[in-house]
Amino acid sequence: MTPYGAVLEIPAASVLVIAPHPDDEVLGCGGAIIRHVQSRTPVRVVVVTDGALGAEAGEAGQRKDESRRAATILGYGEPEFWDLPDQGLAYGEPLVERIAAAIGGADLVYAPSPLEMHPDHRALAMAAAEAVRRRGRGVRIAFYEVGVPLRPNTLLDISAVQARKQAAARCFGSQLVRQPYDEHMAALNRFRTYTLPPTVTAAEAYAVVDAAELAADPLRLYQPEHARQRDLGLAVDPRDLPPVSVIIRSMGRPELQEALDSVALQTYPNLEVVLVDALGGGGVPTDRCGRHPLRQVGQGARLGRSRAANLGLDASSGAFVIFLDDDDLIFPDHVARLVAAVRRRPGVRAAYAGVRVEREGVSVDSYDAAFDPAMLMAWNHLPIHAVLFHRSLLADGCRFDESLDVYEDWDFWLQVCRHTPLERVAGVSAVYRAGLGCSGLGDSGADRHLAVRERLRAKWLPRLGHAGFEALVSEFRTRSAEAEREIARREFDMRTLGEHTAALEQALAAVRNSTSWRLTAPLRVLARMLGRRRPA
């Protein structure tokens, strides 16, 4: 929500500062002006209004002189005065066009924040934002704060120049008799160090936005705080987070309740459960899965695995979708981890996490490694509940092949990988119960699966392309080399173990011999003594 680090300067080649009234250029961004002057960046300051509303005769001229004296302290030269009427600024074409012309070759424009309370500040902020948007690529606007704290994405360390900024602020005697604005400014600059190291004693806050961002979403500047926090993933309400549909194809197995319980424990708050009655037996007598709504769908008859999956997809409404077979489990953070992974990577529409394989309650394997999509041609190492994907993939044509009743998830992931990279979330957060279900994951010995695997490869290998085929070959070579190195390492370990064993056996034999000699020696001496005393 706010930066935890500060910069010493906002980089720029040429700077335009737009101030609504004389003194705003100092109160809002005086420290930034000093920093630019120190780095010899050209700075042009425009004071837009005459600041004469409610002023006594001659005060408007006095305020200009105050700005000139402050400019000398800041070191940027002479301010420019447009002399528009105080509290008479209007957001519209005349003001926008004048600001756009003033930007000239500047690549950084300072303007008041659109959150300010003064109407001139707000009108100037809106006009400056529109002017920058029109200027296009290469121009940024840095909104500053005067009377209302803004929502910053940049903090500028002005500790070393704060004394000069305060001296410049004290030039505005006509205003300081009304309010101690210099003290307000110093307090605000001190407050802005709240998230910074103790060595930073003063900072200015800015919201820096480039023209491309303004062009993409002109309304983003004016969004309420609730919307901003929602976009940052800081949900005020569970409905602020994108909804996730958990699709469970149920064959009525007794483990179904455990699968539902694992969904009920999810820390992600905005879920729905779509329970597909694949057996045609009526499902479960509930419409809730813990705090989450549960909807049941079916056709009153037994459904194949692929048909049940597609029925679940059609009935779901979530922005994200994840499958869970009714004999498997997901850990409480599984969905939250996957959603966070997809949302933090632009262009990524699917993510996968590690899955532990259990057989009769004993861990026998795990799927928790990075993979090359080309390797998915060789075998399926993505259990169906490992992957969460965005609903837009359905519009791209991703569907379950209803001619398949095993390896249908393998075929589906091959489709998904053609449209999006998969983001890996390291660490196991789900359980696949081998032997209970019928997914065929890792089942390479079942004869009935062999023909389906051949069908899949025949379907997908022609679509692999030259680059994909080369990647597949390269990955096989890499894995073969790794396997050979592992075999060699284990053979070396076995030889070393054999040598150690032989050495231990020799040492043990020596100890035994030594111990036997020490125990029998006294007996042999006694026997000789007794033999000498024996009568002839």
Side-chain angles (χ1 to χ4, degrees), residues 280-293:
V284 295
T286 181
D287 61 356
R288 305 294 299 177
C289 178
R291 57 181 169 160
H292 309 300

Side-chain angles (χ1 to χ4, degrees), residues 151-167:
R151 303 182 294 231
N153 58 18
T154 302
L155 295 177
L156 179 71
D157 181 358
I158 62 168
S159 306
V161 301
Q162 176 71 341
R164 280 179 63 185
K165 178 177 178 178
Q166 288 177 317

Side-chain angles (χ1 to χ4, degrees), residues 35-52:
R35 291 294 196 192
H36 288 304
V37 170
Q38 288 176 336
S39 65
R40 299 186 178 182
T41 302
V43 177
R44 176 188 177 192
V45 176
V46 173
V47 180
V48 176
T49 75
D50 56 16

Side-chain angles (χ1 to χ4, degrees), residues 24-104:
D24 290 324
E25 75 277 19
V26 176
L27 300 177
C29 56
I33 292 174
I34 297 172
R35 291 294 196 192
H36 288 304
V37 170
Q38 288 176 336
S39 65
R40 299 186 178 182
T41 302
V43 177
R44 176 188 177 192
V45 176
V46 173
V47 180
V48 176
T49 75
D50 56 16
L53 183 69
E56 297 178 1
E59 189 174 313
Q62 179 184 352
R63 295 193 70 177
K64 289 182 181 179
D65 290 338
E66 291 168 348
S67 273
R68 293 187 183 100
R69 289 197 299 272
T72 300
I73 294 173
L74 298 182
Y76 66 83
E78 181 80 8
E80 178 182 331
F81 300 99
W82 286 359
D83 286 327
L84 298 180
D86 190 357
Q87 285 205 23
L89 293 186
Y91 170 67
E93 284 300 316
L95 185 57
V96 171
E97 290 176 357
R98 189 165 184 181
I99 294 172
I103 291 174

Side-chain angles (χ1 to χ4, degrees), residues 216-374:
D217 186 1
L219 296 178
R220 188 178 181 86
L221 288 176
Y222 312 105
Q223 68 177 0
E225 182 64 13
H226 170 257
R228 185 177 81 100
Q229 293 190 28
R230 179 196 62 207
D231 292 345
L232 289 171
L234 304 172
V236 178
D237 184 279
R239 291 167 295 182
D240 292 338
L241 293 171
V244 174
S245 296
V246 181
I247 300 175
I248 301 177
R249 299 170 295 177
S250 174
M251 293 297 292
R253 284 187 282 258
E255 294 82 12
L256 171 62
Q257 189 57 55
E258 294 179 0
L260 289 170
D261 290 345
S262 74
V263 176
L265 285 174
Q266 291 302 297
T267 58
Y268 192 82
N270 196 7
L271 293 178
E272 69 162 4
V273 178
V274 177
L275 184 66
V276 182
D277 178 16
L279 188 62
V284 295
T286 181
D287 61 356
R288 305 294 299 177
C289 178
R291 57 181 169 160
H292 309 300
L294 182 150
R295 290 187 293 113
Q296 301 186 58
V297 296
Q299 295 182 331
R302 191 182 183 100
L303 299 173
R305 295 173 58 81
S306 295
R307 176 63 188 140
N310 285 333
L311 190 63
L313 289 174
D314 293 338
S316 66
S317 60
F320 293 101
V321 178
I322 186 170
F323 281 88
L324 175 64
D325 283 344
D326 66 356
D327 55 341
D328 294 332
L329 305 172
I330 52 178
F331 295 171
D333 60 345
H334 187 61
V335 171
R337 296 171 74 222
L338 291 170
V339 172
V342 176
R343 296 187 75 196
R344 68 172 168 257
R345 285 289 303 276
V348 170
R349 292 188 285 166
Y352 68 99
V355 175
R356 184 173 71 234
V357 181
E358 292 185 357
R359 192 178 298 275
E360 296 180 355
V362 178
S363 176
V364 295
D365 199 357
S366 68
Y367 294 87
D368 186 25
F371 81 102
D372 187 310

Side-chain angles (χ1 to χ4, degrees), residues 74-228:
L74 298 182
Y76 66 83
E78 181 80 8
E80 178 182 331
F81 300 99
W82 286 359
D83 286 327
L84 298 180
D86 190 357
Q87 285 205 23
L89 293 186
Y91 170 67
E93 284 300 316
L95 185 57
V96 171
E97 290 176 357
R98 189 165 184 181
I99 294 172
I103 291 174
D107 62 333
L108 179 61
V109 177
Y110 287 89
S113 159
L115 300 179
E116 289 282 323
M117 67 177 73
H118 195 294
D120 282 347
H121 289 221
R122 294 199 307 275
L124 191 58
M126 296 167 65
E130 174 58 13
V132 168
R133 185 191 71 81
R134 294 183 187 183
R135 290 303 300 239
R137 181 176 298 179
V139 183
R140 292 161 297 147
I141 185 167
F143 295 105
Y144 57 79
E145 56 191 4
V146 178
V148 176
L150 53 70
R151 303 182 294 231
N153 58 18
T154 302
L155 295 177
L156 179 71
D157 181 358
I158 62 168
S159 306
V161 301
Q162 176 71 341
R164 280 179 63 185
K165 178 177 178 178
Q166 288 177 317
R170 286 193 291 269
C171 292
F172 296 93
S174 65
Q175 304 308 300
L176 297 183
V177 296
R178 301 179 179 180
Q179 280 279 2
Y181 294 119
D182 58 338
E183 295 179 12
H184 299 169
M185 173 205 71
L188 183 57
N189 294 159
R190 180 60 178 160
F191 161 71
R192 283 307 186 183
T193 69
Y194 184 81
T195 58
L196 302 177
T199 53
V200 181
T201 57
E204 290 175 344
Y206 296 95
V208 182
V209 185
D210 64 32
E213 293 177 79
L214 293 171
D217 186 1
L219 296 178
R220 188 178 181 86
L221 288 176
Y222 312 105
Q223 68 177 0
E225 182 64 13
H226 170 257
R228 185 177 81 100

